[in-house]
């Protein structure tokens, strides 16, 4: 088995809880998120995340990567500012997709959307101080409307 190196990536608290639940802590090239992290590390510059970013990305996601891939590609084990934002965007899109899917399935079974959002948060142990209930309601509503608009356009 390949040697693994543990790296820590800054993320927002609710996305950290989502990622820990949904993905393995060991990422490889067989894992879509692993490929994304490797690409972000390959393109990393010397621009370390600054203090303003640390106020937004207050949690961290520890993952293991195959060391030989980092060495072979001359990768830094740290994301630059742009990489942190890109990783956040990817995790946020996956989170919202799964939120929408969970709420849609629950709503189809006769559960109110607000209750489904609460259950989704319970499943991932996401609390109000990490992301507001209103923000989740808006995100689900926007995602749902985007889906409906895409279907109408097709």
């Amino acid at each position: 088995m390949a040697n693994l190196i543990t790296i820590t990536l800054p993320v927002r608290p609710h996305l950290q809880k989502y990622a820990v639940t949904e993905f393995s802590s060991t990422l490889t090239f067989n894992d879509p998120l692993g490929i994304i992290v490797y690409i972000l590390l390959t393109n990393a510059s010397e621009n370390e995340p600054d203090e303003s970013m640390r106020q937004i990305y207050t949690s961290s996601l520890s993952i293991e990567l195959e060391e030989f891939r980092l060495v072979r590609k001359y990768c830094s084990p740290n994301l630059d500012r742009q990489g942190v934002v890109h990783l956040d965007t990817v995790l946020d899109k996956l989170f919202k997709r799964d939120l929408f899917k969970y709420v849609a399935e629950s709503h189809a079974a006769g559960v109110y959307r607000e209750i489904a959002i609460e259950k989704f948060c319970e499943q991932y142990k996401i609390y109000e101080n990490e992301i507001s209930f209103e923000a989740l309601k808006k995100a689900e509503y926007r995602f749902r409307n985007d889906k409906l608009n895409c279907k109408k356009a097709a």
Side-chain angles (χ1 to χ4, degrees):
M1 177 155 184
N3 287 341
L4 299 174
I5 184 171
T6 301
I7 64 170
T8 304
L9 307 171
V11 293
R12 291 184 284 166
H14 69 285
L15 296 178
Q16 185 265 349
K17 290 181 176 182
Y18 169 78
V20 166
T21 304
E22 288 297 315
F23 303 103
S24 169
S25 64
T26 302
L27 297 179
T28 67
F29 267 127
N30 297 326
D31 179 8
L33 186 61
I35 293 169
I36 290 168
V37 170
Y38 277 114
I39 290 169
L40 293 174
L41 290 171
T42 302
N43 295 325
S45 67
E46 297 298 318
N47 297 327
E48 294 279 325
D50 57 12
E51 192 57 40
S52 65
M53 292 186 83
R54 287 188 187 97
Q55 293 173 359
I56 298 168
Y57 307 103
T58 57
S59 290
S60 59
L61 181 63
S62 295
I63 59 171
E64 295 177 327
L65 297 171
E66 297 164 321
E67 185 178 29
F68 79 93
R69 292 196 189 273
L70 291 176
V71 172
R72 192 175 74 193
K73 294 281 188 179
Y74 304 105
C75 295
S76 165
N78 300 307
L79 288 179
D80 61 7
R81 281 179 258 181
Q82 191 173 9
V84 170
V85 172
H86 288 316
L87 178 64
D88 181 76
T89 302
V90 169
L91 288 174
D92 189 55
K93 296 292 184 193
L94 292 171
F95 175 82
K96 287 176 181 173
R97 180 202 62 190
D98 287 354
L99 171 65
F100 169 75
K101 183 179 174 186
Y102 185 89
V103 172
E105 290 172 355
S106 297
H107 187 68
V111 177
Y112 289 111
R113 284 188 169 90
E114 290 82 7
I115 293 172
I117 292 170
E118 289 174 356
K119 294 290 184 191
F120 181 85
C121 289
E122 286 175 15
Q123 178 179 332
Y124 292 102
K125 296 179 177 66
I126 297 171
Y127 303 109
E128 183 80 18
N129 64 338
E130 296 164 339
I131 185 169
S132 73
F133 183 75
E134 289 301 315
L136 292 171
K137 272 179 38 179
K138 285 180 186 176
E140 189 277 332
Y141 174 79
R142 289 178 181 151
F143 200 94
R144 180 171 17 108
N145 282 342
D146 286 348
K147 285 285 190 191
L148 291 173
N149 290 336
C150 287
K151 285 183 181 180
K152 287 179 186 176

